[in-house]
Protein backbone atom coordinates (compact mmCIF):
# COMPACT_ATOMS: atom_id res chain seq x y z
CA UNK A 1 0.00 0.00 0.00
CA UNK A 2 1.25 3.41 -0.84
CA UNK A 3 0.45 6.03 1.71
CA UNK A 4 -0.59 9.62 1.14
CA UNK A 5 2.49 11.15 -0.21
CA UNK A 6 3.43 14.71 -0.77
CA UNK A 7 6.30 13.59 -2.90
CA UNK A 8 3.75 13.15 -5.69
CA UNK A 9 5.30 16.13 -7.38
CA UNK A 10 8.61 14.34 -7.59
CA UNK A 11 8.56 13.73 -11.32
CA UNK A 12 7.62 17.31 -12.01
CA UNK A 13 10.43 18.55 -9.82
CA UNK A 14 12.92 16.17 -11.27
CA UNK A 15 12.09 17.37 -14.75
CA UNK A 16 12.52 20.96 -13.65
CA UNK A 17 15.99 20.37 -12.44
CA UNK A 18 18.61 21.74 -14.72
CA UNK A 19 20.96 19.10 -16.02
CA UNK A 20 19.69 16.43 -13.66
CA UNK A 21 21.78 13.30 -13.75
CA UNK A 22 19.95 10.22 -14.98
CA UNK A 23 17.92 8.69 -12.16
CA UNK A 24 19.52 5.32 -12.65
CA UNK A 25 22.92 6.84 -12.20
CA UNK A 26 22.83 8.94 -9.08
CA UNK A 27 26.55 8.97 -8.93
CA UNK A 28 27.01 10.75 -12.22
CA UNK A 29 26.77 14.28 -10.90
CA UNK A 30 29.76 16.34 -9.94
CA UNK A 31 31.03 15.66 -6.48
CA UNK A 32 29.11 12.43 -6.08
CA UNK A 33 31.28 9.40 -5.47
CA UNK A 34 30.53 6.45 -7.71
CA UNK A 35 31.17 4.04 -4.90
CA UNK A 36 29.14 4.37 -1.78
CA UNK A 37 29.12 1.92 1.10
CA UNK A 38 27.47 -0.72 -1.01
CA UNK A 39 30.26 -3.18 -0.45
CA UNK A 40 29.88 -3.02 3.28
CA UNK A 41 27.54 -5.19 5.31
CA UNK A 42 24.20 -3.64 6.11
CA UNK A 43 21.90 -3.66 9.09
CA UNK A 44 19.19 -5.00 6.83
CA UNK A 45 20.12 -7.41 4.11
CA UNK A 46 18.20 -7.36 0.83
CA UNK A 47 16.30 -10.48 1.82
CA UNK A 48 15.08 -8.98 5.04
CA UNK A 49 11.41 -9.84 5.47
CA UNK A 50 9.23 -7.43 7.33
CA UNK A 51 5.56 -6.91 6.68
CA UNK A 52 4.13 -3.86 8.38
CA UNK A 53 0.54 -3.99 9.54
CA UNK A 54 -2.08 -3.03 7.00
CA UNK A 55 -2.57 0.67 6.69
CA UNK A 56 0.81 1.69 7.96
CA UNK A 57 3.10 0.98 5.04
CA UNK A 58 4.09 4.34 3.65
CA UNK A 59 6.35 3.12 0.96
CA UNK A 60 7.89 6.17 1.01
CA UNK A 61 33.58 11.01 2.45
CA UNK A 62 36.49 10.98 2.42
CA UNK A 63 37.81 12.96 5.38
CA UNK A 64 36.07 16.24 4.81
CA UNK A 65 36.56 19.32 6.77
CA UNK A 66 33.65 21.68 6.87
CA UNK A 67 34.61 24.64 8.93
CA UNK A 68 32.06 25.06 11.67
CA UNK A 69 30.86 28.35 12.95
CA UNK A 70 31.22 27.08 16.48
CA UNK A 71 34.82 26.37 15.77
CA UNK A 72 36.61 23.08 15.69
CA UNK A 73 36.22 20.19 15.59
CA UNK A 74 35.03 20.00 12.03
CA UNK A 75 32.65 17.44 10.63
CA UNK A 76 34.34 14.37 9.34
CA UNK A 77 33.14 11.74 6.98
CA UNK A 78 29.65 10.40 7.07
CA UNK A 79 30.94 7.14 8.46
CA UNK A 80 32.24 8.89 11.50
CA UNK A 81 30.29 10.62 14.17
CA UNK A 82 29.23 14.19 13.84
CA UNK A 83 30.92 16.74 15.99
CA UNK A 84 29.63 15.51 19.28
CA UNK A 85 30.97 12.03 18.96
CA UNK A 86 34.17 12.73 17.10
CA UNK A 87 35.18 15.69 19.13
CA UNK A 88 35.16 13.78 22.36
CA UNK A 89 37.16 10.92 20.98
CA UNK A 90 40.13 9.85 22.90
CA UNK A 91 41.91 10.15 19.61
CA UNK A 92 43.19 6.59 19.38
CA UNK A 93 40.11 4.93 17.95
CA UNK A 94 39.52 4.39 14.28
CA UNK A 95 36.07 5.74 13.40
CA UNK A 96 36.00 3.32 10.48
CA UNK A 97 35.32 0.61 13.06
CA UNK A 98 31.87 2.07 13.50
CA UNK A 99 30.52 1.52 10.03
CA UNK A 100 27.07 0.12 9.43
CA UNK A 101 27.00 -3.47 10.62
CA UNK A 102 24.99 -6.54 10.02
CA UNK A 103 23.13 -7.12 13.26
CA UNK A 104 20.40 -9.54 12.49
CA UNK A 105 21.44 -11.85 9.73
CA UNK A 106 24.86 -13.19 10.44
CA UNK A 107 25.16 -13.01 14.19
CA UNK A 108 28.52 -11.36 13.73
CA UNK A 109 27.97 -8.67 16.31
CA UNK A 110 31.13 -6.77 15.79
CA UNK A 111 29.83 -3.53 17.26
CA UNK A 112 31.83 -5.02 19.86
CA UNK A 113 34.94 -3.05 19.05
CA UNK A 114 32.95 -0.35 20.73
CA UNK A 115 32.29 -2.60 23.71
CA UNK A 116 35.98 -3.14 24.19
CA UNK A 117 36.61 0.59 24.03
CA UNK A 118 34.43 1.16 27.07
CA UNK A 119 36.50 1.49 30.23
CA UNK A 120 33.47 1.76 32.51
CA UNK A 121 33.99 5.31 33.66
CA UNK A 122 30.18 5.81 33.84
CA UNK A 123 30.41 9.32 32.40
CA UNK A 124 27.62 8.37 30.02
CA UNK A 125 25.43 7.28 32.92
CA UNK A 126 25.83 10.59 34.70
CA UNK A 127 24.91 12.46 31.51
CA UNK A 128 21.71 10.50 30.93
CA UNK A 129 18.58 12.54 31.67
CA UNK A 130 16.37 9.46 31.95
CA UNK A 131 18.67 7.75 34.46
CA UNK A 132 18.75 10.98 36.45
CA UNK A 133 15.02 10.92 37.14
CA UNK A 134 14.21 7.20 36.81
CA UNK A 135 16.10 4.91 39.19
CA UNK A 136 14.87 1.82 37.36
CA UNK A 137 16.61 2.75 34.10
CA UNK A 138 20.00 1.01 33.95
CA UNK A 139 21.58 3.77 31.86
CA UNK A 140 23.54 4.00 28.61
CA UNK A 141 26.57 1.94 29.69
CA UNK A 142 24.32 -1.04 30.25
CA UNK A 143 22.24 -0.40 27.12
CA UNK A 144 25.37 -0.11 24.99
CA UNK A 145 28.65 -1.86 25.74
CA UNK A 146 27.37 -4.16 28.48
CA UNK A 147 24.51 -5.56 26.41
CA UNK A 148 26.78 -6.05 23.41
CA UNK A 149 29.39 -7.83 25.54
CA UNK A 150 26.68 -10.13 26.86
CA UNK A 151 25.46 -10.83 23.36
CA UNK A 152 28.94 -11.70 22.22
CA UNK A 153 29.27 -14.22 24.98
CA UNK A 154 25.87 -15.80 24.48
CA UNK A 155 23.00 -14.88 22.25
CA UNK A 156 21.23 -13.11 25.09
CA UNK A 157 17.97 -11.33 24.54
CA UNK A 158 17.96 -7.56 24.49
CA UNK A 159 16.85 -6.17 27.83
CA UNK A 160 13.39 -4.55 27.49
CA UNK A 161 14.69 -1.42 29.26
CA UNK A 162 16.16 -0.40 25.90
CA UNK A 163 12.69 1.03 25.20
CA UNK A 164 13.13 3.41 28.14
CA UNK A 165 16.00 5.18 26.37
CA UNK A 166 14.67 8.35 24.77
CA UNK A 167 17.37 8.51 22.08
CA UNK A 168 18.38 11.99 23.17
CA UNK A 169 21.96 10.92 22.33
CA UNK A 170 23.52 12.95 25.13
CA UNK A 171 25.54 9.91 26.17
CA UNK A 172 27.15 9.91 22.72
CA UNK A 173 28.84 13.22 23.17
CA UNK A 174 29.65 12.52 26.83
CA UNK A 175 31.74 9.40 26.25
CA UNK A 176 35.47 10.16 26.39
CA UNK A 177 36.29 6.94 24.59
CA UNK A 178 34.12 7.36 21.49
CA UNK A 179 32.08 4.28 22.22
CA UNK A 180 29.32 4.35 19.57
CA UNK A 181 26.57 4.40 22.17
CA UNK A 182 23.66 5.64 20.11
CA UNK A 183 24.53 3.26 17.30
CA UNK A 184 24.50 0.41 19.83
CA UNK A 185 21.22 1.63 21.29
CA UNK A 186 19.59 1.97 17.88
CA UNK A 187 20.64 -1.50 16.86
CA UNK A 188 19.64 -3.05 20.19
CA UNK A 189 16.27 -1.32 20.02
CA UNK A 190 15.79 -2.48 16.44
CA UNK A 191 16.58 -6.05 17.40
CA UNK A 192 14.33 -5.90 20.45
CA UNK A 193 11.38 -4.58 18.45
CA UNK A 194 11.92 -6.98 15.57
CA UNK A 195 12.53 -10.14 17.55
CA UNK A 196 11.02 -9.69 20.99
CA UNK A 197 8.19 -7.16 20.89
CA UNK A 198 4.71 -8.59 20.39
CA UNK A 199 3.45 -7.18 17.08
CA UNK A 200 -0.17 -7.10 18.19
CA UNK A 201 0.59 -5.33 21.45
CA UNK A 202 -0.73 -1.87 22.13
CA UNK A 203 2.84 -0.71 22.64
CA UNK A 204 3.95 -1.86 19.20
CA UNK A 205 0.91 -0.40 17.41
CA UNK A 206 1.22 2.89 19.32
CA UNK A 207 4.93 3.15 18.61
CA UNK A 208 4.37 2.35 14.95
CA UNK A 209 1.78 5.10 14.72
CA UNK A 210 4.02 7.62 16.49
CA UNK A 211 6.98 6.65 14.31
CA UNK A 212 4.96 7.13 11.15
CA UNK A 213 3.71 10.60 12.06
CA UNK A 214 4.27 11.72 8.48
CA UNK A 215 1.77 9.18 7.16
CA UNK A 216 -1.01 10.40 9.43
CA UNK A 217 -0.07 14.06 9.07
CA UNK A 218 -0.36 13.72 5.29
CA UNK A 219 -3.92 12.43 5.71
CA UNK A 220 -4.86 15.07 8.29
CA UNK A 221 -3.45 17.86 6.14
CA UNK A 222 -5.94 17.13 3.42
CA UNK A 223 -8.68 18.50 5.69
CA UNK A 224 -6.71 20.40 8.33
CA UNK A 225 -9.66 22.21 9.93
CA UNK A 226 -11.53 18.98 10.44
CA UNK A 227 -8.38 17.26 11.69
CA UNK A 228 -7.69 20.06 14.16
CA UNK A 229 -11.27 19.96 15.38
CA UNK A 230 -11.19 16.21 15.92
CA UNK A 231 -7.74 16.09 17.55
CA UNK A 232 -8.74 19.00 19.79
CA UNK A 233 -11.68 17.14 21.29
CA UNK A 234 -11.13 15.92 24.82
CA UNK A 235 -12.73 12.61 23.86
CA UNK A 236 -10.03 12.14 21.22
CA UNK A 237 -7.31 12.71 23.78
CA UNK A 238 -9.07 10.40 26.21
CA UNK A 239 -9.42 7.67 23.58
CA UNK A 240 -5.81 8.14 22.48
CA UNK A 241 -4.63 7.44 26.00
CA UNK A 242 -7.02 4.61 26.80
CA UNK A 243 -6.78 2.76 23.50
CA UNK A 244 -3.28 3.52 22.30
CA UNK A 245 -1.28 4.75 25.26
CA UNK A 246 -0.72 8.21 23.74
CA UNK A 247 -0.78 10.62 26.64
CA UNK A 248 -3.92 12.68 27.05
CA UNK A 249 -1.93 15.32 28.94
CA UNK A 250 -0.69 16.99 25.76
CA UNK A 251 -2.66 18.80 23.11
CA UNK A 252 -2.12 17.50 19.61
CA UNK A 253 -0.30 20.00 17.41
CA UNK A 254 -2.40 21.90 14.86
CA UNK A 255 -2.03 21.10 11.19
CA UNK A 256 -1.37 24.09 8.96
CA UNK A 257 -4.09 25.05 6.50
CA UNK A 258 -1.45 25.13 3.79
CA UNK A 259 1.58 22.85 3.97
CA UNK A 260 5.02 24.15 3.19
CA UNK A 261 5.13 22.16 -0.02
CA UNK A 262 1.74 23.54 -1.13
CA UNK A 263 3.04 27.06 -0.50
CA UNK A 264 6.22 26.25 -2.38
CA UNK A 265 4.30 25.03 -5.41
CA UNK A 266 1.91 27.98 -5.37
CA UNK A 267 4.71 30.52 -5.35
CA UNK A 268 6.26 28.79 -8.34
CA UNK A 269 9.23 27.28 -6.54
CA UNK A 270 12.53 29.07 -6.32
CA UNK A 271 12.52 32.80 -6.92
CA UNK A 272 16.30 32.92 -7.26
CA UNK A 273 18.27 30.97 -9.83
CA UNK A 274 21.92 30.61 -9.06
CA UNK A 275 23.77 27.46 -10.09
CA UNK A 276 26.77 28.59 -8.04
CA UNK A 277 24.86 28.84 -4.77
CA UNK A 278 22.35 26.07 -4.40
CA UNK A 279 20.89 24.48 -1.32
CA UNK A 280 18.47 21.56 -1.12
CA UNK A 281 16.03 22.09 1.73
CA UNK A 282 15.18 19.07 3.85
CA UNK A 283 12.14 20.50 5.60
CA UNK A 284 11.18 17.38 7.53
CA UNK A 285 7.61 16.49 8.49
CA UNK A 286 6.86 19.10 11.10
CA UNK A 287 7.85 22.15 9.06
CA UNK A 288 5.81 20.80 6.21
CA UNK A 289 2.59 19.89 7.98
CA UNK A 290 2.57 21.92 11.18
CA UNK A 291 4.90 24.92 11.08
CA UNK A 292 5.35 25.92 7.44
CA UNK A 293 6.32 29.39 8.68
CA UNK A 294 9.70 27.93 9.61
CA UNK A 295 10.23 26.60 6.09
CA UNK A 296 9.07 29.88 4.56
CA UNK A 297 11.51 31.78 6.77
CA UNK A 298 14.31 29.46 5.65
CA UNK A 299 13.50 30.06 1.97
CA UNK A 300 13.19 33.83 2.31
CA UNK A 301 16.40 34.20 4.30
CA UNK A 302 18.40 32.03 1.91
CA UNK A 303 16.99 33.80 -1.13
CA UNK A 304 17.92 37.13 0.47
CA UNK A 305 21.51 35.86 0.50
CA UNK A 306 21.24 34.93 -3.19
CA UNK A 307 20.83 31.17 -2.83
CA UNK A 308 18.79 29.06 -5.19
CA UNK A 309 16.66 26.86 -2.98
CA UNK A 310 15.68 23.40 -4.17
CA UNK A 311 12.96 21.43 -2.40
CA UNK A 312 13.55 17.81 -3.37
CA UNK A 313 10.98 15.07 -2.87
CA UNK A 314 11.57 13.65 0.59
CA UNK A 315 10.18 11.48 3.33
CA UNK A 316 10.64 11.37 7.09
CA UNK A 317 14.24 11.69 8.25
CA UNK A 318 13.64 8.57 10.33
CA UNK A 319 14.26 10.22 13.70
CA UNK A 320 11.07 8.90 15.35
CA UNK A 321 11.63 5.50 13.77
CA UNK A 322 15.13 5.16 15.20
CA UNK A 323 13.81 6.12 18.63
CA UNK A 324 11.17 3.38 18.43
CA UNK A 325 13.28 0.64 16.90
CA UNK A 326 11.39 0.74 13.58
CA UNK A 327 14.51 0.35 11.50
CA UNK A 328 12.82 -1.20 8.48
CA UNK A 329 10.52 1.83 8.21
CA UNK A 330 13.48 4.14 8.67
CA UNK A 331 15.44 2.38 5.97
CA UNK A 332 12.60 2.71 3.44
CA UNK A 333 12.41 6.43 4.06
CA UNK A 334 16.18 6.77 4.01
CA UNK A 335 16.35 5.13 0.58
CA UNK A 336 14.15 7.85 -0.91
CA UNK A 337 15.88 10.64 0.94
CA UNK A 338 19.38 9.54 0.05
CA UNK A 339 18.53 9.03 -3.61
CA UNK A 340 16.93 12.46 -3.90
CA UNK A 341 19.62 14.26 -1.92
CA UNK A 342 22.43 12.60 -3.87
CA UNK A 343 20.76 13.93 -7.01
CA UNK A 344 20.57 17.44 -5.53
CA UNK A 345 24.20 17.28 -4.44
CA UNK A 346 25.03 16.26 -7.98
CA UNK A 347 23.49 19.54 -9.10
CA UNK A 348 25.81 21.46 -6.84
CA UNK A 349 23.61 21.80 -3.77
CA UNK A 350 24.41 21.36 -0.12
CA UNK A 351 21.64 19.94 2.04
CA UNK A 352 20.06 22.22 4.63
CA UNK A 353 17.74 21.15 7.44
CA UNK A 354 15.84 23.46 9.76
CA UNK A 355 15.30 20.69 12.33
CA UNK A 356 18.41 19.62 14.24
CA UNK A 357 17.14 16.06 14.63
CA UNK A 358 16.73 15.78 10.85
CA UNK A 359 20.27 17.06 10.22
CA UNK A 360 21.65 14.70 12.88
CA UNK A 361 19.81 11.80 11.33
CA UNK A 362 21.23 12.51 7.86
CA UNK A 363 24.71 13.15 9.23
CA UNK A 364 25.11 10.45 11.81
CA UNK A 365 22.35 7.85 12.07
CA UNK A 366 22.05 7.12 8.34
CA UNK A 367 25.71 6.23 7.81
CA UNK A 368 25.89 4.41 11.14
CA UNK A 369 22.94 2.17 10.35
CA UNK A 370 22.36 1.89 6.63
CA UNK A 371 24.33 0.84 3.65
CA UNK A 372 23.07 2.98 0.78
CA UNK A 373 24.81 4.34 -2.26
CA UNK A 374 25.92 7.93 -1.68
CA UNK A 375 25.01 7.98 2.00
CA UNK A 376 28.41 9.30 3.03
CA UNK A 377 28.13 12.10 0.52
CA UNK A 378 24.73 13.08 1.92
CA UNK A 379 26.12 13.01 5.45
CA UNK A 380 29.05 15.11 4.41
CA UNK A 381 26.98 17.74 2.57
CA UNK A 382 24.32 18.16 5.26
CA UNK A 383 24.12 21.20 7.53
CA UNK A 384 21.68 22.79 9.89
CA UNK A 385 20.28 25.95 8.30
CA UNK A 386 21.73 28.56 10.66
CA UNK A 387 25.03 26.71 10.87
CA UNK A 388 25.42 26.88 7.08
CA UNK A 389 24.82 30.61 6.94
CA UNK A 390 27.30 31.21 9.75
CA UNK A 391 29.91 29.25 7.83
CA UNK A 392 29.35 30.77 4.41
CA UNK A 393 27.97 34.26 5.00
CA UNK A 394 28.91 37.33 6.97
CA UNK A 395 25.92 37.06 9.27
CA UNK A 396 27.38 39.52 11.77
CA UNK A 397 27.77 42.08 8.99
CA UNK A 398 24.29 41.43 7.65
CA UNK A 399 22.81 41.81 11.12
CA UNK A 400 24.84 44.90 12.02
CA UNK A 401 22.13 47.29 10.83
CA UNK A 402 19.19 45.15 11.88
CA UNK A 403 16.89 46.53 14.50
CA UNK A 404 14.30 44.47 16.20
CA UNK A 405 11.59 45.59 18.45
CA UNK A 406 12.72 44.83 21.97
CA UNK A 407 12.34 41.07 21.88
CA UNK A 408 13.66 38.71 24.56
CA UNK A 409 13.94 34.98 23.98
CA UNK A 410 14.53 32.07 26.33
CA UNK A 411 16.66 29.81 24.14
CA UNK A 412 16.93 26.04 24.58
CA UNK A 413 19.61 24.17 22.64
CA UNK A 414 18.20 20.76 21.66
CA UNK A 415 20.28 17.72 22.62
CA UNK A 416 20.62 16.84 18.95
CA UNK A 417 22.00 20.33 18.26
CA UNK A 418 24.57 19.80 21.00
CA UNK A 419 25.65 16.59 19.30
CA UNK A 420 26.42 18.65 16.19
CA UNK A 421 28.35 21.32 18.06
CA UNK A 422 25.55 23.86 17.56
CA UNK A 423 24.59 24.61 21.15
CA UNK A 424 25.75 28.21 21.08
CA UNK A 425 24.85 29.22 17.56
CA UNK A 426 21.56 31.03 18.18
CA UNK A 427 22.88 32.96 21.15
CA UNK A 428 26.06 33.97 19.32
CA UNK A 429 24.23 34.95 16.13
CA UNK A 430 21.96 37.43 17.84
CA UNK A 431 24.33 38.55 20.60
CA UNK A 432 25.02 41.98 19.07
CA UNK A 433 21.70 42.66 17.35
CA UNK A 434 19.94 45.75 18.61
CA UNK A 435 16.66 45.09 20.31
CA UNK A 436 17.14 41.36 20.86
CA UNK A 437 18.09 39.37 23.92
CA UNK A 438 18.65 35.65 23.59
CA UNK A 439 19.18 34.02 26.95
CA UNK A 440 20.34 30.42 27.14
CA UNK A 441 18.24 28.44 29.61
CA UNK A 442 20.96 25.91 30.36
CA UNK A 443 22.11 22.59 29.06
CA UNK A 444 19.37 20.33 30.40
CA UNK A 445 17.31 18.09 28.14
CA UNK A 446 13.77 19.26 27.33
CA UNK A 447 12.59 15.73 28.14
CA UNK A 448 10.23 15.15 25.24
CA UNK A 449 12.75 13.56 22.84
CA UNK A 450 10.39 13.38 19.89
CA UNK A 451 7.80 10.68 20.48
CA UNK A 452 9.08 9.71 23.96
CA UNK A 453 7.08 12.29 25.90
CA UNK A 454 3.94 11.40 23.93
CA UNK A 455 3.82 7.94 25.47
CA UNK A 456 1.45 7.77 28.43
CA UNK A 457 3.86 5.75 30.56
CA UNK A 458 6.74 8.14 29.79
CA UNK A 459 4.89 11.42 30.27
CA UNK A 460 5.80 11.90 33.94
CA UNK A 461 9.45 11.08 33.27
CA UNK A 462 9.44 13.50 30.35
CA UNK A 463 8.07 16.31 32.53
CA UNK A 464 10.51 15.57 35.36
CA UNK A 465 13.40 15.86 32.90
CA UNK A 466 11.97 19.08 31.49
CA UNK A 467 11.42 20.71 34.90
CA UNK A 468 14.86 22.36 35.01
CA UNK A 469 14.35 23.87 31.55
CA UNK A 470 10.87 25.14 32.44
CA UNK A 471 12.22 26.78 35.57
CA UNK A 472 15.06 28.48 33.71
CA UNK A 473 12.70 29.65 30.99
CA UNK A 474 10.48 31.26 33.57
CA UNK A 475 13.48 32.90 35.22
CA UNK A 476 14.64 34.32 31.87
CA UNK A 477 13.70 37.75 30.67
CA UNK A 478 10.74 37.73 28.32
CA UNK A 479 8.14 35.11 27.68
CA UNK A 480 8.95 33.85 24.20
CA UNK A 481 10.97 30.69 23.75
CA UNK A 482 13.34 29.77 20.96
CA UNK A 483 14.74 26.46 19.74
CA UNK A 484 15.59 24.65 16.50
CA UNK A 485 13.76 21.41 17.38
CA UNK A 486 9.99 21.15 16.82
CA UNK A 487 9.35 18.66 19.61
CA UNK A 488 11.49 20.60 22.10
CA UNK A 489 9.31 23.55 21.07
CA UNK A 490 6.20 21.49 21.95
CA UNK A 491 7.64 20.68 25.35
CA UNK A 492 8.69 24.27 26.02
CA UNK A 493 5.21 25.51 25.16
CA UNK A 494 3.58 22.72 27.17
CA UNK A 495 5.64 23.41 30.27
CA UNK A 496 5.48 27.20 30.25
CA UNK A 497 2.66 28.32 27.96
CA UNK A 498 5.17 30.40 25.99
CA UNK A 499 5.05 31.03 22.28
CA UNK A 500 8.09 29.33 20.71
CA UNK A 501 9.94 30.50 17.62
CA UNK A 502 12.73 29.13 15.47
CA UNK A 503 15.96 31.15 15.05
CA UNK A 504 15.23 31.29 11.30
CA UNK A 505 12.06 33.22 12.04
CA UNK A 506 14.02 35.80 13.99
CA UNK A 507 16.58 35.96 11.21
CA UNK A 508 13.74 36.56 8.76
CA UNK A 509 12.41 39.40 10.92
CA UNK A 510 15.88 40.96 11.08
CA UNK A 511 16.92 40.56 7.45
CA UNK A 512 13.88 40.19 5.23
CA UNK A 513 10.74 41.72 6.66
S1 LIG B 1 31.28 7.05 28.96
FE1 LIG B 1 32.08 5.64 27.38
S2 LIG B 1 33.85 4.66 28.35
FE2 LIG B 1 32.66 5.61 30.02
S3 LIG B 1 31.28 3.96 30.72
FE3 LIG B 1 30.15 5.11 29.16
S4 LIG B 1 30.55 4.00 27.25
FE4 LIG B 1 32.10 3.31 28.73
S1 LIG C 1 20.28 8.30 24.43
FE1 LIG C 1 19.71 9.67 26.14
S2 LIG C 1 18.16 8.50 27.29
FE2 LIG C 1 19.21 7.03 25.95
S3 LIG C 1 20.81 6.15 27.22
FE3 LIG C 1 21.74 7.89 26.07
S4 LIG C 1 21.55 9.68 27.43
FE4 LIG C 1 20.16 8.06 28.23
Amino acid sequence: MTGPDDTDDSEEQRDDRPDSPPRDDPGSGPGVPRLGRDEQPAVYGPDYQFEPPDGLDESVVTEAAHPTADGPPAMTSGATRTDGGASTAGGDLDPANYDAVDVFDTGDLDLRDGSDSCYKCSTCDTSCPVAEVDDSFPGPKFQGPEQWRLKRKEDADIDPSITDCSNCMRCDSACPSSVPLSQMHNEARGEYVEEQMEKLSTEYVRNRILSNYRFFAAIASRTPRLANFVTGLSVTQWAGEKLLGITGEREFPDFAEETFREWWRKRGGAQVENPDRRVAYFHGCYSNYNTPEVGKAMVRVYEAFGYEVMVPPQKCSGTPMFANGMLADARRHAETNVEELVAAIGEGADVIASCTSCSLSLRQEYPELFDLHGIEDVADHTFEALEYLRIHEDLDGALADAELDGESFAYHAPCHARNQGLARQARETFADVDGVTVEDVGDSCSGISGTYGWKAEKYETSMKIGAEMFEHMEDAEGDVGMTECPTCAMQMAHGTGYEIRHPLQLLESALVE
Side-chain angles (χ1 to χ4, degrees):
M1 167 180 169
T2 300
D5 195 338
D6 60 358
T7 61
D8 291 348
D9 56 348
S10 58
E11 293 306 325
E12 178 190 334
Q13 293 204 12
R14 287 168 185 164
D15 292 341
D16 285 344
R17 287 184 188 135
D19 305 316
S20 296
R23 306 304 296 168
D24 58 355
D25 183 14
S28 65
V32 180
R34 288 183 180 278
L35 289 179
R37 299 159 60 97
D38 297 353
E39 304 81 1
Q40 299 174 11
V43 170
Y44 286 91
D47 58 344
Y48 179 71
Q49 299 295 315
F50 183 72
E51 294 300 327
D54 289 345
L56 287 183
D57 184 356
E58 198 195 346
S59 318
V60 262
V61 265
T62 56
E63 178 98 7
H66 298 312
T68 68
D70 275 352
M75 288 284 298
T76 54
S77 94
T80 68
R81 332 293 298 277
T82 51
D83 190 345
S87 66
T88 55
D92 54 350
L93 293 172
D94 179 2
N97 288 339
Y98 306 140
D99 285 349
V101 293
D102 188 335
V103 173
F104 301 133
D105 289 339
T106 68
D108 178 17
L109 301 171
D110 69 0
L111 251 188
R112 328 20 64 201
D113 279 349
S115 303
D116 292 341
S117 303
C118 170
Y119 50 84
K120 304 182 182 176
C121 66
S122 295
T123 305
C124 54
D125 287 344
T126 56
S127 75
C128 174
V130 173
E132 190 177 348
V133 301
D134 179 358
D135 290 342
S136 67
F137 181 60
K141 173 159 58 81
F142 173 79
Q143 302 300 346
E146 289 180 2
Q147 287 227 55
W148 288 107
R149 274 194 205 108
L150 275 177
K151 283 191 71 65
R152 191 161 52 179
K153 212 169 168 186
E154 50 181 305
D155 193 18
D157 281 349
I158 298 292
D159 191 90
S161 63
I162 189 65
T163 61
D164 294 332
C165 161
S166 72
N167 204 33
C168 70
M169 297 167 77
R170 290 175 82 91
C171 49
D172 246 9
S173 41
C175 176
S177 188
S178 274
V179 174
L181 284 157
S182 65
Q183 186 182 12
M184 290 175 155
H185 298 163
N186 275 325
E187 290 176 356
R189 198 160 32 235
E191 181 170 331
Y192 176 78
V193 169
E194 171 57 18
E195 297 183 2
Q196 295 168 236
M197 188 179 269
E198 172 55 55
K199 301 303 180 292
L200 295 178
S201 66
T202 303
E203 184 183 13
Y204 179 85
V205 173
R206 186 267 316 271
N207 291 358
R208 196 83 195 275
I209 290 170
L210 290 174
S211 299
N212 285 275
Y213 175 73
R214 179 178 176 277
F215 179 85
F216 298 97
I219 296 172
S221 291
R222 291 180 177 176
T223 53
R225 288 186 192 178
L226 176 63
N228 292 337
F229 173 74
V230 172
T231 56
L233 294 173
S234 53
V235 68
T236 306
Q237 286 173 287
W238 178 86
E241 175 145 349
K242 293 294 172 212
L243 300 178
L244 288 170
I246 296 173
T247 181
E249 298 291 333
R250 298 183 189 274
E251 292 179 6
F252 291 111
D254 279 347
F255 296 100
E257 298 208 356
E258 180 182 65
T259 68
F260 170 77
R261 294 186 75 90
E262 287 167 348
W263 171 81
W264 176 255
R265 279 194 291 270
K266 275 188 192 166
R267 85 193 286 258
Q271 304 295 303
V272 173
E273 287 188 18
N274 187 347
D276 297 327
R277 288 158 76 82
R278 278 185 180 147
V279 291
Y281 180 35
F282 191 89
H283 47 69
C285 306
Y286 207 74
S287 288
N288 187 37
Y289 297 114
N290 300 91
T291 55
E293 60 273 15
V294 172
K296 292 175 192 175
M298 183 274 167
V299 169
R300 288 172 182 143
V301 167
Y302 269 72
E303 288 188 343
F305 279 104
Y307 285 90
E308 179 178 334
V309 178
M310 302 163 70
V311 181
Q314 58 195 263
K315 301 203 172 191
C316 174
S317 69
T319 299
M321 298 161 185
F322 297 131
N324 287 287
M326 307 289 172
L327 295 188
D329 287 349
R331 184 182 171 103
R332 271 200 307 280
H333 288 236
E335 284 170 356
T336 298
N337 293 334
V338 170
E339 181 185 353
E340 295 295 341
L341 295 176
V342 163
I345 291 165
E347 292 166 26
D350 284 318
V351 180
I352 305 301
S354 49
C355 164
T356 43
S357 293
C358 291
S359 58
L360 187 63
S361 183
L362 297 175
R363 283 172 146 174
Q364 179 170 331
E365 285 165 310
Y366 277 22
E368 280 184 349
L369 295 168
F370 301 136
D371 169 22
L372 297 169
H373 177 85
I375 204 163
E376 290 166 338
D377 212 34
V378 170
D380 210 41
H381 280 268
T382 296
F383 298 83
E384 192 278 336
L386 182 56
E387 173 194 22
Y388 191 81
L389 288 177
R390 295 188 79 207
I391 292 168
H392 293 285
E393 304 299 330
D394 177 13
L395 261 190
D396 289 344
L399 288 166
D401 298 328
E403 280 188 35
L404 289 159
D405 199 14
E407 295 184 87
S408 296
F409 295 90
Y411 172 72
H412 165 75
C415 298
H416 290 177
R418 293 180 184 281
N419 271 31
Q420 296 168 81
L422 306 176
R424 299 186 306 276
Q425 64 169 3
R427 201 162 30 104
E428 290 174 355
T429 298
F430 298 107
D432 298 323
V433 179
D434 282 347
V436 174
T437 305
V438 177
E439 194 172 335
D440 196 319
V441 296
D443 65 356
S444 60
C445 174
S446 76
I448 191 167
S449 290
T451 61
Y452 187 84
W454 281 92
K455 298 172 183 176
E457 75 279 13
K458 304 285 194 287
Y459 175 77
E460 289 301 330
T461 302
S462 162
M463 294 301 282
K464 275 187 201 167
I465 295 171
E468 185 178 332
M469 179 189 73
F470 304 145
E471 190 180 324
H472 290 173
M473 284 180 71
E474 279 159 3
D475 288 345
E477 202 180 319
D479 54 6
V480 180
M482 180 187 287
T483 191
E484 293 95 337
C485 168
T487 55
C488 288
M490 280 180 206
Q491 178 85 329
M492 293 164 82
H494 182 63
T496 62
Y498 287 9
E499 174 199 352
I500 313 296
R501 298 178 72 192
H502 191 289
L504 284 169
Q505 292 174 277
L506 185 56
L507 213 50
E508 181 188 25
S509 301
L511 300 177
V512 183
E513 289 174 347

